[in-house]
Amino acid sequence: MTALTLSTAGAATLRADALVVGVAKSGKGIVVAPGAEAVDKAFDGKLAAVLETLGASGAEGEATKLPSPAGLKTPVVLAVGLGPAPEDGQGYDAEALRRAAGTAARTLTGAKKAAFALPIAAVEDAEAIAEGALLGAYAFTAYQNSKNGKDAKKPLAEVALLGGKPRDKAYKAAAERAQAVAEEINRARDLVNMPPNDLTPATFAAEAQTAAKAHGLKVQVLDEKALAKGGYGGILGVGAGSENPPRLVRIAYTHPKAEKTLALVGKGITYDSGGISLKPAGHNETMKCDMSGAAAVFAAVVAAARLGLAVNVTGWLALAENMPSGSATRPGDVLRMYSGKTVEVLNTDAEGRLVLADALTRASEENPDAIVDVATLTGAMVLALGNRTFGIMANDDDYRTAIHEIADEVGEQSWPMPLPADLRKGMDSPTADIANMGERMGGGLVAGLFLREFVGEGITWAHLDIAGPAFHEGAPYGYTPKGGTGSAVRTLVRLAERTADGEL
């Protein structure tokens, strides 16, 4: 993991492989952002002019390398775009700083140390820059011995944050929080990126046990025998076609002063072939990512423990592999769920809601103050919101709004979605209590309505469908890598913090 330090050194005096500065767009051209004054001075006040000559504009995502002039201790200056310059008296948006820092860290892959002299007007800015740099430096290299015939470059080894005030308790705490959250997001990314032949339900459960031991968490793993004894028909039904049996993991963090309990439930399909309702060609290649919800929940619980939050957080990881075989659940089969309800399976590729249903019922038995489930649940949500935005549904409008605002605060794109009552009738079954499919149009909302049926009465509940942003197939941007992104971890951690503070 990339190291993070707060430095009192000036931009002109710190020794590093590169010095990162920010530039922004204005109506008059490039504006050099605060924090880079010493660098601009070393360029005789012409840094903006030099960058413009090279074609830079200050747009978000731009990264321009320059050889350092005399007067700087670093051989390279890296100017990263912050987007539009703020109006007079306003600071830079935290997400703009986060993305710029991520762009810089990605650009400096292979470097040992980089000094970040981006604008810091408040402790929140320092945290955003630190978080963005640590996330941008991420690389999944566990299975790479070489790249294109050459040794693969290692991620940026150290981030030195200038202007971070290491002796200030608030800045020190912000840096520690950024490090903990970024490391847990990267834990989730690693799990999502692992190939499904190595990450099975059993090995995922073992990862949770290892983390629980390291961070003082309580963990319980139900194997296939315990699941059968307990009547977890949804999880068992989804995993019935695989040689890798399912698991239900409970991982819990408790705090002696906690007044509230937050339950997090994650969909953990370690590989989704669609089962007997096999996915068409071209839709299977990235289905190792169908456990992103469980990875986010797992990471959020560990982060809550590392941050020492005064709230009890319990994570439920519903783990199964959805495969076709002679023992697989068939379309038309009826499953008896942990709740006692029966479900007619009309489509075995609508499996995530089945494992979540059992986990939601089990989580409800502990009567938490709120339950939030996270899942790469439906392609319909991707069609509705695109690849970068997750949908939020809830049985409480105020809670849904609060989560949407929290997501925006931490830099994750989300959108509140309804649960239209008229769509429920489409899941009526002549054979069972409910079917796992309903109307095709509004399929993401139908899935939310299905899940609501398994939430305990009187419990506040929200559902995050992260099917779009959980796995990024395009080129990296900002602090977002190719592959697993760790979507929803930041939202869940901030939700836990707000709950601990009594705001929710």
Side-chain angles (χ1 to χ4, degrees):
M1 180 68 187
T2 300
L4 173 67
T5 58
L6 301 180
S7 177
T8 57
T13 58
L14 184 69
R15 294 186 182 275
D17 297 313
L19 177 60
V20 179
V21 298
V23 292
K25 296 176 65 174
S26 76
K28 298 180 181 179
I30 286 182
V31 175
V32 178
E37 292 85 357
V39 180
D40 191 33
K41 182 179 179 180
F43 278 91
D44 295 326
K46 297 178 181 179
L47 176 57
V50 172
L51 289 168
E52 288 177 352
T53 300
L54 294 174
S57 68
E60 181 183 307
E62 274 188 354
T64 308
K65 284 185 177 180
L66 299 168
S68 293
L72 299 181
K73 299 295 185 181
T74 55
V76 173
V77 171
L78 176 63
V80 289
L82 292 165
E87 297 179 3
D88 291 343
Q90 296 184 355
Y92 286 86
D93 178 74
E95 180 63 5
L97 295 173
R98 194 179 288 115
R99 291 183 179 179
T103 297
R106 284 192 300 102
T107 304
L108 295 171
T109 296
K112 292 182 178 180
K113 182 177 181 179
F116 282 67
L118 295 173
I120 296 177
V123 67
E124 292 80 11
D125 298 335
E127 184 174 336
I129 294 166
E131 187 176 80
L134 295 173
L135 293 176
Y138 172 83
F140 184 69
T141 59
Y143 293 81
Q144 294 179 349
N145 295 318
S146 64
K147 188 174 183 180
N148 298 327
K150 300 179 181 179
D151 291 338
K153 289 184 178 180
K154 295 182 179 181
L156 174 62
E158 182 183 348
V159 171
L161 191 61
L162 306 186
K165 302 180 183 179
R167 295 181 182 85
D168 187 301
K169 290 183 178 179
Y171 279 85
K172 185 178 179 181
E176 291 174 350
R177 183 189 184 280
Q179 186 105 41
V181 173
E183 286 179 0
E184 293 313 315
I185 290 172
N186 288 338
R187 181 201 296 273
R189 290 171 168 180
D190 281 347
L191 288 168
V192 175
N193 288 328
M194 280 184 69
N197 58 320
D198 280 352
L199 188 71
T200 65
T203 56
F204 197 146
E207 290 282 340
Q209 289 173 314
T210 299
K213 185 176 181 179
H215 297 284
L217 307 173
K218 292 183 178 179
V219 65
Q220 178 187 20
V221 178
L222 299 185
D223 63 13
E224 66 273 28
K225 293 181 180 179
L227 290 169
K229 183 177 180 180
Y232 292 86
I235 297 174
L236 288 167
V238 172
S242 174
E243 293 185 358
N244 297 305
R247 297 285 187 270
L248 177 62
V249 177
R250 179 187 186 273
I251 183 167
Y253 160 71
T254 57
H255 191 282
K257 295 183 179 180
E259 296 182 357
K260 289 188 176 182
T261 296
L262 178 64
L264 306 177
V265 177
K267 173 187 173 183
I269 305 299
T270 56
Y271 182 75
D272 182 20
S273 70
I276 297 297
S277 305
L278 194 67
K279 292 180 182 292
H283 289 73
N284 283 297
E285 290 77 4
T286 61
M287 281 299 103
K288 65 180 183 180
C289 79
D290 214 17
M291 37 57 67
S292 298
V297 165
F298 175 29
V301 174
V302 178
R306 293 181 62 174
L307 297 173
L309 304 183
V311 59
N312 298 327
V313 185
T314 304
W316 299 89
L317 316 180
L319 310 175
E321 187 177 60
N322 188 24
M323 296 290 284
S325 73
S327 61
T329 295
R330 297 153 292 224
D333 283 356
V334 174
L335 304 178
R336 185 171 295 279
M337 312 296 282
Y338 179 70
S339 67
K341 291 181 180 179
T342 55
V343 176
E344 182 181 12
V345 180
L346 298 180
N347 187 332
T348 63
D349 195 24
E351 85 298 330
R353 65 199 70 182
L354 298 175
V355 300
L356 286 174
D358 276 354
L360 284 168
T361 302
R362 177 64 186 88
S364 296
E365 289 182 339
E366 298 187 357
N367 198 33
D369 294 282
I371 298 176
V372 178
D373 75 72
V374 188
T376 48
L377 204 59
T378 65
M381 196 57 60
V382 186
L383 291 173
L385 299 178
N387 290 318
R388 297 190 182 185
T389 304
F390 62 76
I392 309 171
M393 285 157 264
N395 61 5
D396 182 290
D397 289 348
D398 290 340
Y399 199 63
R400 180 187 61 190
T401 298
I403 293 177
H404 174 51
E405 292 174 349
I406 286 170
D408 182 65
E409 178 186 345
V410 299
E412 295 198 290
Q413 295 174 216
S414 70
W415 198 252
M417 303 293 283
L419 289 172
D422 58 285
L423 291 178
R424 170 60 182 86
K425 185 172 179 56
M427 290 185 285
D428 287 348
S429 166
T431 306
D433 295 325
I434 191 173
N436 78 327
M437 292 290 289
E439 294 182 27
R440 180 170 176 269
M441 299 302 175
L445 311 182
V446 170
L449 288 165
F450 180 91
L451 295 177
R452 189 174 66 178
E453 298 275 328
F454 296 89
V455 177
E457 186 175 352
I459 298 176
T460 300
W461 159 79
H463 160 57
L464 311 186
D465 190 335
I466 62 170
F471 196 84
H472 179 57
E473 296 185 64
Y477 65 93
Y479 53 83
T480 301
K482 186 179 181 69
T485 64
S487 176
V489 175
R490 282 179 288 159
T491 297
L492 295 179
V493 173
R494 184 55 55 86
L495 176 65
E497 289 173 327
R498 293 274 297 274
T499 303
D501 292 340
E503 298 176 28
L504 294 171

